[in-house]
């Protein structure tokens, strides 16, 4: 039979086996005999089923109930019905073919081919000993169990021998059969290309002679060399360990495949013109994938076979995975099967892959990206409310495999020193304890079950955190798939995530763009706001008193910092949970309903005042154009807490701020410590000087630098201050031996210790708002900066494409065309003023201006009136000006002099 049609329907055979068990159960035999009969019946029905579906492999078979027979009576019948017929054959005690092939031996070889392989040949099959219907069930099963199939496997030498022989004969049929036979059988594939161990030297080596079949029960214990298997792994490692012992993790991570031999074999196969084996390999992988999926879901194959992981390593090393033929069929099915591997197995695979290096991981990642992209593009006409990328098993399976690659990249990446990671754990515990005390001390706080952040099971199994990895093997950006992001409905995906139902991309956020993750967090924040609103209304009904569904803050423009500080401090003291309500700002003396625009102006005014250098809370670096905490600030902790609350509220309420912090601030907000590698963003000149110290290797080091462990610096008032990095630092010179310690202590002082009080208050305010937010799980520090500051690119071409029109305007209206001609001629300063005028902020949202849904509406006929706007809804009201010059003059005046609600 053609391998394409030899698919195994597990549901059909399972149903048949259950039915057979029930038939046997109806017997009046005692309980022990009843159990034996059920087992025998199940196995016999399986034999009948495979005879009906796969046949016996004998081309001259005359059994009309065998698929190999030319007069097969059950042609064109689906497999569920064949399962029913298998039960009927069992009841009639019909004849079973003498040489029925075992389930996985679907590519029988000729006798000449079998003999060429010696004892470990690939063509051997199990012989069925039942010859007639008159034999008893028990006798049949017993005779079957006596004959074991020898396990088939491949080695480099075997494959190369076949290639040479096929070249000589001018036919590739033997190679095709061999590849098909091994690659469709999990047991055979898992034992292919194994390393061998030399007992005398206790070192793992590759066998150079023809290997024998792997059968640990019958293996000759006197041999000095044997294929390395699961039972031998721990012994080998323990023997080679210097300390005499090793961890279970090290034992489990031992790679039993000879990877170099495997890759040489694939290289030899790739050199064959036109790859004649490709079709057989694809069909075999399709069969293998279905079997592996059942093995992993129902048969605990992973626990039974320590070499089972070799299947995935061997298949994912295939160089043809990215080809259209594999992407359309075998590759997505295999990815789906791999997705059923248990967490411990995924962790083991990730640890093994992490040792393969950047190039191999990147190659595998590119194959997965290509699979997802092709699937997304091919389905573009189908994506909609009823069918999403989440529903495509190929996309979901490839994403799950990509997750293993992602954590392999992190596991093998660069990390901060262990002592720094240990300090960060202590800091994180201290912050959690401080937040708990703060909440418990609040006057109106009603305790509730804390919402613990979901930790990724694979990351937990590996003991890694993406945040701790400073440089992964493969850059984070390469895991993002843009075509997929363009077609994902985040609202639907978020619903899947919340209900733990269908596959969701949110737990696999490495594949999502920042804009997609931002939208996901937006939904999470809105749901939290609605929950707080509902809770407030319920408390009003139960306890009485006025309803407080919003976080209302009333401020005066000329006392905005004092009023905001008092209002937010009161909330923090009474019930910090109220900070998670939707923000509602009111300016004293101004009529306006805050639908987002008033809040944007509030944030802008607060930031402008708090970051004013005259106040002295922050220092400004004219080289980097960024602010840093002033370690000698006279402001109290409340001011820094207010800044933290403002930052948290801005993220929580989807507002963009004009704040320019160095990247280390966002690392510190995520629980990291600042290290020397972060110092450049804060002080490039100082970092350059310290690098000179590290790079200098001369013997006259102390004479050249004349530096001790006492450092000096000036505060904002010009006063010179000193600090000892170590006790009696002025008496300890910096030398070649301790220069790294000096640099690390210097950076630690500037980035952590000198601003400890100020940053602790700032961090506390930020955590009051975001302690339950999923932003730590979704975003990296670089992305947090985008959430706060927005995108830096002013792409008004993208804004024009995304703009909608109302009130009689269309994209082809003369006023609209004149408007865009004028705007595209603006410099960046006027473009930002236009954004400020129309949206309430001059910052570009996450994802760029294409994500800004600007609406331009016609506001009457030509007149001398200035353009106006509704900043809450991003609506620009534009009179139908008669000419371009008038439009430009009116628009410039509006965006230059407009400020405040109702003011022009």
């Amino acid at each position: 039979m053609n391998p394409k049609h030899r698919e195994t329907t597990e549901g059909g055979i399972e149903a048949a086996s259950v039915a057979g068990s029930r038939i046997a159960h109806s017997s009046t035999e005692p309980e022990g005999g009843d159990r034996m009969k059920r087992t025998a019946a199940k196995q016999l029905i399986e034999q009948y089923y495979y005879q009906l579906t796969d046949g016996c492999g004998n081309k001259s078979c005359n059994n009309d109930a065998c698929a190999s027979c030319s007069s097969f009576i059950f042609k064109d019948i689906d497999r569920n019905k064949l399962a029913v017929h298998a039960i009927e054959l069992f009841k009639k005690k019909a004849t079973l073919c003498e040489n029925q092939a075992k389930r996985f031996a679907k590519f029988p070889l000729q006798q000449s081919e079998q003999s060429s392989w010696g004892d470990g040949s690939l063509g051997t099959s199990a012989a069925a000993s039942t010859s007639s219907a008159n034999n008893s069930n028990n006798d049949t099963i017993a005779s079957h169990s006596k004959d074991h199939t020898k396990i088939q496997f491949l080695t480099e030498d075997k494959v190369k021998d076949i290639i040479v022989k096929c070249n000589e004969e001018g036919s590739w049929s033997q190679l095709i059969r061999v590849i098909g036979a091994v690659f469709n059988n999990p047991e055979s594939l898992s034992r292919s290309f194994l390393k061998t161990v030399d007992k005398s030297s206790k070192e793992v080596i590759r066998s150079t002679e023809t290997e024998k079949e792997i059968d640990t029960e019958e293996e000759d214990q006197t041999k000095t060399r044997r294929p390395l298997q699961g039972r031998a792994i721990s012994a080998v490692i323990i023997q080679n360990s210097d300390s005499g012992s090793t961890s279970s993790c090290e034992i489990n991570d031992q790679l039993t495949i000879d990877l170099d031999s495997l890759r040489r074999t694939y290289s030899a196969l790739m050199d064959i013109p036109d790859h004649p084996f490709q079709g057989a390999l694809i069909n075999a992988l399709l069969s293998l994938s279905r079997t592996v999926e059942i093995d992993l879901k129902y048969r605990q194959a992973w626990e039974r076979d320590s070499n089972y992981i070799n299947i995935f390593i061997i298949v994912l090393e295939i160089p043809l995975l990215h080809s259209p033929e594999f992407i359309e069929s075998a590759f997505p099915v295999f990815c789906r099967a791999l997705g059923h591997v248990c967490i411990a197995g995924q962790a083991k695979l990730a640890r093994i892959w992490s040792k393969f290096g950047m190039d191999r991981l990147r190659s595998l990642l590119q194959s997965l990206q290509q699979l997802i992209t092709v699937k997304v593009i091919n389905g573009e006409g189908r994506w909609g409310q009823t069918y999403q990328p989440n529903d495509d098993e190929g996309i979901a399976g490839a994403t799950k495999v990509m997750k293993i690659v992602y954590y392999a990249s992190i596991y093998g990446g660069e990390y901060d020193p262990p002592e720094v990671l240990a300090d960060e754990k202590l800091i994180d515990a201290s912050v959690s304890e401080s937040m708990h005390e703060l909440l418990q001390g609040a006057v109106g706080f009603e305790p509730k079950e804390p919402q613990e952040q979901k930790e990724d099971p694979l990351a937990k199994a590996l003991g890694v955190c993406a945040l701790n990895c400073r440089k992964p093997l493969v850059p984070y950006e390469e895991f993002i798939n843009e075509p997929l992001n363009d077609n994902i409905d985040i609202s639907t995906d978020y619903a899947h995530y919340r209900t733990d139902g269908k596959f969701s991309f949110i737990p696999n956020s490495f594949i999502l763009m920042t804009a997609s993750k931002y939208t996901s967090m937006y939904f999470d924040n809105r749901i939290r706001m609605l929950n707080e609103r509902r809770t407030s209304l319920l408390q009003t009904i139960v306890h009485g008193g006025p309803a407080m569904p919003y976080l209302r803050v009333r401020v005066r423009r000329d006392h905005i910092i004092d009023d905001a500080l008092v209002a937010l401090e009161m909330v923090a003291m009474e019930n910090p949970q109220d900070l998670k309500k939707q923000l509602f700002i009111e300016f004293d003396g101004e009529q306006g309903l805050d639908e987002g625009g008033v809040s944007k102006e509030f944030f802008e005014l607060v930031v402008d005042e708090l970051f004013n250098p005259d106040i002295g809370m922050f220092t400004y670096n004219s080289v980097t154009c960024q602010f840093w905490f002033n370690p000698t600030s006279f402001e109290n902790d409340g001011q820094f807490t207010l800044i933290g609350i403002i930052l948290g509220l801005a993220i929580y309420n989807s507002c963009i701020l004009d704040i320019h912090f160095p990247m280390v601030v966002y690392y510190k907000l995520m629980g990291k410590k600042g290290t020397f590698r972060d110092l450049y963003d804060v002080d490039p000149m100082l970092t350059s000087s310290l690098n000179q110290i590290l790079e200098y290797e001369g013997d006259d080091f102390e004479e050249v630098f004349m530096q001790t462990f006492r450092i000096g610096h000036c505060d904002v008032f010009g006063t010179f201050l000193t600090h000892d990095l170590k006790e009696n630092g002025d008496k300890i010179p910096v030398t070649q031996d301790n220069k790294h310690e000096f640099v690390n202590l210097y950076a630690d002082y500037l980035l952590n210790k000198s601003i400890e009080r100020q940053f602790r208050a700032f961090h506390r305010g930020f955590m009051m708002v975001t302690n339950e937010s999923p932003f730590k799980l979704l975003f990296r520090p670089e992305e947090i900066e985008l959430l706060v500051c927005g995108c830096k690119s002013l792409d008004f071409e993208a804004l024009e494409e995304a703009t909608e029109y109302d009130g009689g305007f269309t994209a082809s209206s003369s006023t609209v065309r004149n408007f865009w001609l004028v705007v595209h001629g603006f410099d960046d300063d006027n473009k930002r003023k236009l954004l400020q005028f129309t949206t309430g902020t001059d910052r570009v949202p996450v994802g760029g201006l294409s994500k800004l849904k600007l609406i331009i509406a016609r506001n009457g006929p030509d007149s001398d009136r200035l353009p106006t706007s509704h900043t809450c809804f991003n609506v620009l009201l534009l009179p139908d000006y008669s000419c371009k010059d008038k439009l430009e003059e009116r628009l410039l005046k509006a965006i230059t002099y407009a400020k405040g609600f109702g003011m022009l």
Side-chain angles (χ1 to χ4, degrees):
M1 293 180 62
N2 190 315
K4 293 183 179 178
H5 304 297
R6 296 181 183 175
E7 300 179 357
T8 300
T9 303
E10 292 294 335
I13 187 59
E14 189 70 17
S17 299
V18 172
S21 298
R22 290 176 178 173
I23 292 172
H25 188 66
S26 63
S27 170
T28 57
E29 293 277 340
E31 183 179 354
D34 188 30
R35 186 180 301 110
M36 291 177 62
K37 280 195 117 181
R38 287 200 302 270
T39 303
K42 179 178 179 181
Q43 294 183 11
L44 260 182
I45 289 174
E46 289 181 357
Q47 293 293 328
Y48 283 116
Y49 177 77
Y50 293 132
Q51 178 176 290
L52 291 170
T53 56
D54 295 334
C56 67
N58 183 6
K59 295 181 180 180
S60 59
C61 178
N62 58 3
N63 184 356
D64 58 3
C66 175
S68 295
C69 179
S70 58
S71 58
F72 183 48
I73 61 176
F74 298 114
K75 292 180 179 179
D76 302 323
I77 295 179
D78 66 46
R79 292 176 176 268
N80 286 327
K81 291 182 180 179
L82 287 178
V84 176
H85 287 299
I87 298 173
E88 295 299 324
L89 293 174
F90 166 77
K91 290 179 180 178
K92 296 175 182 178
K93 297 183 179 180
T95 303
L96 277 169
C97 293
E98 284 293 329
N99 295 314
Q100 185 189 111
K102 195 177 179 181
R103 178 180 179 184
F104 298 115
K106 299 177 183 177
F107 299 87
L109 303 179
Q110 300 297 327
Q111 182 65 33
S112 61
E113 294 172 357
Q114 295 181 13
S115 60
S116 67
W117 282 84
D119 294 337
S121 67
L122 289 162
T124 318
S125 61
S129 61
T130 305
S131 59
S132 68
N134 296 327
N135 293 335
S136 67
N137 293 342
N138 289 336
D139 290 340
T140 303
I141 297 304
S143 62
H144 270 276
S145 63
K146 291 176 183 178
D147 191 9
H148 298 282
T149 298
K150 295 179 180 179
I151 299 174
Q152 309 164 9
F153 62 94
L154 286 178
T155 66
E156 179 184 2
D157 294 335
K158 287 180 179 181
V159 174
K160 289 184 175 180
D161 287 344
I162 295 178
I163 292 175
V164 171
K165 184 176 180 181
C166 289
N167 262 321
E168 293 174 350
E169 296 177 352
S171 172
W172 297 101
S173 59
Q174 183 179 354
L175 177 65
I176 292 171
R177 290 169 182 166
V178 168
I179 288 179
V182 174
F183 275 84
N184 86 82
N185 187 339
E187 195 172 7
S188 296
L189 195 59
S190 66
R191 281 156 172 74
S192 296
F193 304 103
L194 290 180
K195 294 178 181 178
T196 55
V197 61
D198 188 332
K199 290 183 177 181
S200 60
S201 62
K202 300 178 183 179
E203 293 181 357
V204 177
I205 61 174
R206 187 179 70 88
S207 175
T208 57
E209 61 186 38
T210 304
E211 295 88 339
K212 303 301 182 182
E213 67 273 13
I214 301 170
D215 189 342
T216 56
E217 299 299 326
E218 300 177 359
E219 185 181 11
D220 184 0
Q221 300 298 324
T222 63
K223 295 180 181 179
T224 59
R225 304 176 68 190
R226 59 177 178 172
L228 181 63
Q229 295 193 63
R231 290 195 297 177
I233 294 173
S234 57
V236 171
I237 297 177
I238 291 174
Q239 290 167 350
N240 290 334
S241 174
D242 294 335
S243 62
S245 63
T246 185
S247 68
S248 61
C249 175
E250 293 172 331
I251 293 175
N252 290 337
D253 289 346
Q254 179 73 11
L255 181 61
T256 60
I257 290 180
D258 189 338
L259 200 59
D260 292 335
S261 176
L262 173 65
R263 290 172 177 172
R264 287 194 299 268
T265 302
Y266 280 138
S267 179
L269 290 172
M270 292 301 102
D271 290 338
I272 300 175
D274 300 326
H275 305 147
F277 56 85
Q278 180 170 296
L281 182 58
I282 290 175
N283 291 330
L285 289 181
L286 287 171
S287 176
L288 174 76
S289 301
R290 285 185 286 270
T291 305
V292 166
E293 188 170 346
I294 296 298
D295 282 350
L296 293 174
K297 290 173 69 174
Y298 304 117
R299 298 174 181 166
Q300 291 79 43
W302 189 271
E303 290 78 5
R304 289 190 286 104
D305 188 353
S306 60
N307 284 326
Y308 207 83
I309 195 174
N310 294 356
I311 297 171
F312 309 109
I313 297 174
I314 291 173
V315 171
L316 291 173
E317 285 287 326
I318 296 175
L320 293 172
L321 287 180
H322 63 277
S323 67
E325 293 81 5
F326 276 79
I327 286 178
E328 291 174 2
S329 54
F331 195 17
V333 177
F334 186 79
C335 287
R336 183 185 68 188
L338 203 162
H340 292 287
V341 175
C342 63
I343 294 299
Q346 293 181 27
K348 178 178 178 179
L349 193 55
R351 286 190 289 264
I352 291 175
W353 274 342
S354 70
K355 301 172 185 176
F356 284 11
M358 178 184 66
D359 292 340
R360 179 58 200 138
L361 275 186
R362 176 174 280 141
S363 176
L364 177 55
L365 174 61
Q366 289 172 352
S367 296
L368 293 168
Q369 291 282 31
Q370 189 169 350
L371 169 59
I372 294 174
T373 300
V374 169
K375 285 281 186 180
V376 169
I377 293 175
N378 288 343
E380 279 186 346
R382 297 182 297 162
W383 306 134
Q385 290 297 323
T386 58
Y387 191 74
Q388 292 288 324
N390 312 63
D391 302 317
D392 190 294
E393 291 184 341
I395 294 176
T399 303
K400 292 177 182 178
V401 178
M402 191 184 294
K403 184 175 186 177
I404 303 176
V405 178
Y406 173 75
Y407 279 108
S409 174
I410 291 175
Y411 189 84
E414 295 180 10
Y415 288 79
D416 286 328
E419 57 271 17
V420 173
L421 297 178
D423 289 345
E424 289 169 354
K425 284 186 178 181
L426 295 176
I427 293 173
D428 188 58
S430 176
V431 171
S432 299
E433 183 179 354
S434 175
M435 286 299 303
H436 179 74
E437 293 177 355
L438 179 66
L439 293 174
Q440 294 298 326
V443 177
F445 173 71
E446 296 186 4
K448 62 179 183 179
E449 287 293 327
Q451 296 187 2
E452 296 184 1
Q453 298 295 335
K454 296 181 180 179
E455 184 178 1
D456 188 273
L458 181 53
K460 186 175 181 180
L462 287 169
V464 299
C465 174
L467 182 63
N468 291 337
C469 183
R470 291 296 187 127
K471 185 179 180 182
L473 293 176
V474 180
Y476 295 113
E477 294 77 14
E478 295 189 24
F479 288 88
I480 298 172
N481 189 288
E482 294 187 13
L484 176 65
N485 281 263
D486 293 338
N487 288 275
I488 292 177
D489 183 349
I490 294 297
S491 60
T492 302
D493 189 74
Y494 182 79
H496 294 336
Y497 170 68
R498 293 281 294 188
T499 58
D500 290 328
K502 294 183 180 180
F503 174 81
S504 171
F505 291 101
I506 293 177
N508 306 284
S509 59
F510 54 83
I511 203 172
L512 298 177
M513 299 172 66
T514 306
S516 299
K517 292 187 280 187
Y518 176 77
T519 304
S520 173
M521 189 181 68
Y522 171 83
F523 288 129
D524 189 88
N525 291 339
R526 291 296 163 179
I527 290 174
R528 206 177 304 278
M529 290 177 185
L530 291 174
N531 288 338
E532 292 296 332
R533 192 180 306 173
R534 183 177 63 236
T535 301
S536 176
L537 293 175
L538 288 175
Q539 289 177 346
T540 299
I541 294 173
V542 175
H543 302 293
M548 299 180 61
Y550 299 100
L551 173 60
R552 291 184 177 271
V553 178
R554 189 179 183 88
V555 294
R556 297 166 291 175
R557 284 187 178 271
D558 51 351
H559 296 85
I560 191 168
I561 296 298
D562 293 337
D563 292 350
L565 181 60
V566 170
L568 294 175
E569 273 189 336
M570 291 295 294
V571 172
M573 291 175 60
E574 293 179 359
N575 187 3
Q577 197 68 20
D578 286 346
L579 292 172
K580 296 180 178 61
K581 296 177 178 178
Q582 184 176 351
L583 183 64
F584 197 94
I585 298 294
E586 297 178 355
F587 281 105
D588 189 37
E590 298 182 20
Q591 297 179 354
L593 184 64
D594 187 7
E595 292 289 343
V598 181
S599 296
K600 292 175 185 177
E601 186 176 8
F602 165 75
F603 284 125
E604 179 188 3
L605 295 174
V606 170
V607 167
D608 284 346
E609 188 160 342
L610 288 177
F611 282 85
N612 188 331
D614 294 338
I615 295 181
M617 292 181 64
F618 297 91
T619 60
Y620 182 74
N621 190 316
S622 58
V623 177
T624 62
C625 300
Q626 293 173 336
F627 290 93
W628 183 246
F629 295 86
N630 181 8
T632 58
S633 172
F634 295 120
E635 300 296 330
N636 58 41
D637 291 353
Q639 300 278 33
F640 289 97
T641 301
L642 175 61
I643 283 287
I645 292 176
I646 291 297
L647 194 66
L649 287 175
I651 294 177
Y652 192 60
N653 290 271
S654 304
C655 290
I656 307 296
L657 302 180
D658 187 17
I659 292 180
H660 303 280
F661 280 133
M663 185 58 62
V664 64
V665 171
Y666 302 105
Y667 270 97
K668 289 170 69 67
L669 283 176
M670 300 281 275
K672 300 291 294 178
K673 284 183 64 176
T675 62
F676 175 67
R677 66 195 310 163
D678 304 308
L679 187 61
Y680 181 82
D681 287 340
V682 178
D683 196 332
M685 294 183 64
L686 175 61
T687 306
S688 178
S689 299
L690 294 178
N691 273 324
Q692 291 179 11
I693 292 178
L694 293 177
E695 295 169 359
Y696 191 81
E697 299 295 338
D699 295 334
D700 56 346
F701 181 91
E702 296 182 40
E703 291 77 11
V704 171
F705 292 101
M706 300 182 64
Q707 177 65 50
T708 67
F709 275 76
R710 169 172 288 181
I711 59 173
H713 60 95
C714 294
D715 61 12
V716 292
F717 306 107
T719 304
F720 185 78
L721 305 173
T722 61
H723 174 76
D724 286 350
L725 299 177
K726 298 174 67 173
E727 187 176 356
N728 299 321
D730 59 324
K731 300 177 182 178
I732 304 175
V734 178
T735 65
Q736 286 283 13
D737 296 331
N738 62 20
K739 64 182 180 180
H740 288 280
E741 180 187 12
F742 169 76
V743 168
N744 290 332
L745 288 175
Y746 202 156
D748 182 52
Y749 172 74
L750 292 179
L751 301 179
N752 303 307
K753 292 181 178 179
S754 65
I755 60 166
E756 184 175 2
R757 176 183 66 85
Q758 294 85 348
F759 188 82
R760 186 191 301 115
F762 171 74
H763 193 194
R764 182 171 61 247
F766 181 77
M767 292 300 296
M768 284 182 188
V769 185
T770 62
N771 63 321
E772 295 179 355
S773 174
F775 82 98
K776 274 191 176 182
L777 299 179
L778 290 175
F779 301 101
R780 304 189 307 276
E782 298 85 356
E783 296 175 307
I784 298 295
E785 183 183 30
L786 283 178
L787 299 185
V788 175
C789 306
C791 184
K792 298 179 181 179
S793 174
L794 289 172
D795 186 0
F796 269 69
E797 300 289 345
L799 178 62
E800 181 179 358
E801 292 180 5
T803 298
E804 299 176 359
Y805 304 94
D806 197 7
F809 276 158
T810 65
S812 59
S813 300
S814 59
T815 300
V816 171
R817 292 201 306 270
N818 289 335
F819 171 81
W820 288 115
L821 286 172
V822 170
V823 169
H824 290 316
F826 282 170
D827 57 19
D828 286 352
D829 186 50
N830 281 331
K831 286 180 179 179
R832 291 196 177 277
K833 287 180 180 179
L834 176 61
L835 288 176
Q836 178 75 48
F837 179 76
T838 54
T839 67
T841 177
D842 64 352
R843 314 305 296 172
V844 179
V846 178
L849 287 175
S850 62
K851 303 297 181 182
L852 183 64
K853 301 303 180 183
L854 178 66
I855 299 175
I856 300 179
R858 187 176 185 273
N859 191 23
D862 179 33
S863 68
D864 290 334
R865 289 185 300 166
L866 295 174
T868 56
S869 65
H870 298 306
T871 57
C872 299
F873 308 104
N874 300 339
V875 177
L876 175 63
L877 301 173
L878 199 64
D880 197 356
Y881 295 115
S882 58
C883 63
K884 174 186 172 184
D885 292 340
K886 185 175 184 179
L887 185 151
E888 182 175 8
E889 185 269 333
R890 296 280 85 189
L891 182 62
L892 280 172
K893 183 172 288 187
I895 65 177
T896 302
Y897 299 106
K899 190 176 183 181
F901 181 82
M903 300 178 65
L904 295 178

